[in-house]
Amino acid sequence: MIFDEMQDLNFLYKSWKLIFASGALSLLLSTIIILFALKKLVPLFERIHQNRLRDQHDEPIPKIGGLGLMGSMFLTIVVLWNIPFDTEIPFFQTVNQSRFFGLIVGGFMAWSLGFVDDLFKISARWKLLGQFVLALFAIHTGFAIEQLKGPFFQEFDLGFMAWPITILWVVTIMNAINLIDGLDGLAGGIVITVLITLGVILWSSGSLPLLLVIMSLFGAVIGFLLFNRPPAITFMGDSGSQFLGYMTALLSIWATESADGKQSMLPLLILAIPLLDVFFAFTRRLLKGIPFYSADRDHIHHRLLAKGFSPSKSVVILVGLSFIFSVISLVTVYNSYLQGFSFTVGLLICFFILYFLEYDLLRKPMASIQGQNNLRKRRELMIMLADQIDDYFEKDHNSSLVIHSFNYWCKLVGIYHYKLVYEGKDCHYYGSDNDSLRIIIYRFRNWEIHLGLPRESWSIDSDVKGDLMEKVFNALVKRLELLESSKVLEPQKL
């Protein structure tokens, strides 16, 4: 009896030593890779940076954190794979090899997809297609969700819906991690709480090999956060968010399924904060007639900033809420009879979060839905005029009329103020300036324009508006130069 207890203690000691060693090694490698990339690689990939309406930083920040995340985790796994360990400790070779292959190779492909986007800004449609392909690859390697165990039902066989549900899960989580990556340290902090929760679940079930994978990723994220805590030295970029999203989606499936392959719904609780954010992002864009892949500044963290919380406090609040959801999910793990109660509490917390952040869809649902018609019509007119902007300006035969037409388009976009500058001299003013406006500057030839937008304007459909504003400004300059009007060069207030 004593001998058996000593063997158990010895196994426990060796297991914990290996677990912490994997995390420490990954943390060290992550730090080294990011430092090397900041010094040697960033200058090679630097390109012209133009601020977008949704950016939190005015200065360009390198997006090489994803390289540290992916590189350190994979190098750690390679090292651990090739070092001989005590045979009594189960290792990577004991896990489902098809799934392990899907996790590692798919993770690299997800990182590559994001890396290409960081360098060349691929279309959102192509990125979505890439995520769809990654989800199919995950299914092919054994991650299909075929049976569910829910809080309010025992078991549910998905049948022909297995593939669509799995694809939806992988694509949703990849986008959720990408969307929540809006403040320094936020996405990394939430992923840390998710990995800790999954690690506890795996430890309680004795899944040491998969726990080593979790710890390898955990160490990589901690190493990245050393450079991403406010004020950030580097961002994870799309390469990091796509990589973490894919890994989180698959690990949450793997870690929470039962021994007989039935999938728990605990990941919905564990990932409640990013899921809540992506769900309402999709809903509000649908109601406003905005493409679901269009960027905006109306996410949960933006709402906290608008409430007066600093970026650091907003990160602490959201990571804290994620930790609360993790605790609720662990209560369910150790007390299965409380599963229904835990999900009910989780739903109530979600409701209070959204109510506190003043989402009109909850506070005034009917008025919110009905009030989107005018916004949708205005947006359609804004895009239509921008698409035909040359013809729109061509009807005007003097500079005053051109400026008047431009002012009308500015009202559609929601521009409260602009200043038109020619060769360093102010030429035209529109509206009144104040400190609450977000100022965006575009330059073309000898001209530049300073556009001021209030929060309710630049928080919605930001990237689309940014592209349209640049296009319309360029057309304005060409038309004014074509008219060769001297009046436009004299300071005027309209």
Side-chain angles (χ1 to χ4, degrees):
M1 182 71 176
I2 296 176
F3 179 74
D4 290 340
E5 290 179 356
M6 289 182 63
Q7 278 191 319
D8 291 340
L9 289 174
N10 185 49
F11 175 78
L12 188 63
Y13 168 73
K14 290 180 179 179
S15 299
W16 277 108
K17 185 169 65 173
L18 185 57
I19 289 169
F20 282 110
S22 62
L25 177 60
S26 185
L27 189 156
L28 177 63
L29 290 173
S30 177
T31 304
I32 293 173
I33 292 172
I34 292 176
L35 284 173
F36 174 79
L38 285 171
K39 186 174 182 179
K40 299 293 184 180
L41 299 183
V42 168
L44 299 177
F45 298 116
E46 279 184 343
R47 51 198 177 95
I48 296 174
H49 175 84
Q50 178 179 314
N51 281 351
R52 294 171 293 178
L53 293 178
R54 57 176 170 153
D55 287 345
Q56 291 291 338
H57 294 261
D58 294 326
E59 70 285 354
I61 305 291
K63 300 177 180 180
I64 47 84
L67 180 62
L69 291 168
M70 182 274 299
S72 59
M73 178 188 175
F74 287 178
L75 283 175
T76 299
I77 290 176
V78 169
V79 170
L80 295 177
W81 186 287
N82 290 282
I83 292 180
F85 289 97
D86 195 320
T87 55
E88 70 183 47
I89 298 179
F91 212 50
F92 294 134
Q93 290 84 346
T94 64
V95 301
N96 184 312
Q97 293 300 294
S98 177
R99 281 191 167 189
F100 193 72
F101 176 82
L103 185 72
I104 301 303
V105 175
F108 178 76
M109 291 193 297
W111 175 85
S112 300
L113 173 67
F115 184 68
V116 171
D117 187 46
D118 286 334
L119 288 181
F120 305 110
K121 279 298 165 196
I122 60 178
S123 166
R125 294 181 179 90
W126 288 108
K127 191 192 303 183
L128 185 64
L129 177 62
Q131 294 169 346
F132 182 82
V133 171
L134 283 166
L136 288 177
F137 178 74
I139 291 172
H140 180 70
T141 55
F143 284 97
I145 302 172
E146 297 177 344
Q147 289 182 306
L148 283 177
K149 292 195 305 181
F152 307 109
F153 53 85
Q154 291 299 315
E155 294 178 9
F156 184 73
D157 193 340
L158 293 176
F160 71 93
M161 289 298 295
W163 279 38
I165 292 296
T166 307
I167 292 171
L168 179 64
W169 176 252
V170 175
V171 172
T172 298
I173 297 302
M174 291 183 72
N175 283 287
I177 299 300
N178 183 51
L179 292 178
I180 206 71
D181 184 30
L183 296 176
D184 297 344
L186 178 54
I190 288 178
V191 169
I192 285 295
T193 64
V194 172
L195 293 176
I196 291 174
T197 309
L198 296 178
V200 172
I201 294 172
L202 290 170
W203 176 257
S204 65
S205 63
S207 302
L208 180 61
L210 196 52
L211 181 54
L212 291 175
V213 176
I214 295 282
M215 284 302 296
S216 299
L217 184 56
F218 177 84
V221 178
I222 292 293
F224 163 73
L225 285 176
L226 297 177
F227 301 90
N228 188 241
R229 59 186 177 86
I233 300 174
T234 184
F235 294 151
M236 68 172 64
D238 268 34
S239 61
S241 62
Q242 295 299 309
F243 172 74
L244 286 182
Y246 181 85
M247 300 300 287
T248 303
L250 268 59
L251 288 171
S252 64
I253 293 174
W254 205 347
T256 59
E257 71 175 8
S258 59
D260 56 358
K262 296 181 176 64
Q263 179 60 50
S264 167
M265 294 184 69
L266 279 180
L268 294 176
L269 274 179
I270 299 171
L271 288 153
I273 293 298
L275 284 173
L276 187 66
D277 185 49
V278 75
F279 173 75
F280 266 83
F282 176 80
T283 303
R284 68 173 174 268
R285 292 168 189 175
L286 180 67
L287 291 175
K288 294 179 186 297
I290 299 172
F292 70 90
Y293 50 80
S294 177
D296 62 27
R297 285 178 54 94
D298 203 24
H299 294 283
I300 290 178
H301 48 279
H302 295 130
R303 292 271 178 158
L304 285 172
L305 294 175
K307 280 281 189 179
F309 294 98
S310 68
S312 297
K313 288 182 179 178
S314 299
V315 170
V316 171
I317 290 171
L318 291 175
V319 174
L321 287 170
S322 182
F323 178 77
I324 290 173
F325 278 107
S326 293
V327 171
I328 294 173
S329 65
L330 290 177
V331 168
T332 301
V333 171
Y334 292 101
N335 302 276
S336 58
Y337 60 91
L338 292 176
Q339 193 175 61
F341 174 78
S342 297
F343 272 86
T344 302
V345 171
L347 287 173
L348 288 174
I349 294 175
C350 289
F351 176 84
F352 285 119
I353 291 172
L354 296 172
Y355 191 85
F356 172 75
L357 296 177
E358 299 182 11
Y359 278 93
D360 287 340
L361 190 59
L362 285 183
R363 291 193 168 201
K364 305 171 184 176
M366 295 307 299
S368 177
I369 294 173
Q370 293 173 358
Q372 304 309 318
N373 289 331
N374 290 336
L375 180 62
R376 187 180 294 107
K377 292 177 181 177
R378 206 170 82 180
R379 181 181 186 274
E380 290 172 353
L381 180 59
M382 173 188 75
I383 293 175
M384 182 189 71
L385 288 179
D387 288 340
Q388 304 175 24
I389 195 64
D390 292 330
D391 295 335
Y392 178 61
F393 285 147
E394 191 175 355
K395 65 180 174 55
D396 301 318
H397 301 294
N398 61 62
S399 61
S400 296
L401 291 175
V402 172
I403 294 295
H404 182 77
S405 296
F406 180 68
N407 292 346
Y408 175 74
W409 190 83
C410 288
K411 290 179 182 178
L412 292 176
V413 179
I415 296 172
Y416 276 27
H417 162 79
Y418 74 75
K419 178 174 67 173
L420 190 62
V421 181
Y422 177 72
E423 293 185 342
K425 296 180 180 180
D426 296 349
C427 299
H428 279 285
Y429 304 89
Y430 170 80
S432 57
D433 190 13
N434 63 70
D435 294 337
S436 66
L437 298 179
R438 176 74 181 262
I439 303 299
I440 303 295
I441 301 174
Y442 295 101
R443 295 179 177 87
F444 183 64
R445 295 176 180 169
N446 295 325
W447 301 75
E448 68 178 49
I449 192 168
H450 300 232
L451 302 169
L453 294 89
R455 182 187 183 282
E456 60 267 22
S457 178
W458 55 257
S459 65
I460 299 172
D461 212 11
S462 57
D463 280 5
V464 172
K465 284 183 178 178
D467 292 339
L468 293 182
M469 287 189 297
E470 183 175 20
K471 178 181 178 180
V472 171
F473 168 61
N474 293 348
L476 172 69
V477 169
K478 292 176 183 178
R479 184 59 180 166
L480 290 175
E481 289 183 344
L482 183 64
L483 291 171
E484 297 179 344
S485 172
S486 60
K487 294 181 180 180
V488 77
L489 301 181
E490 300 174 1
Q492 299 180 31
K493 173 87 175 184
L494 296 181

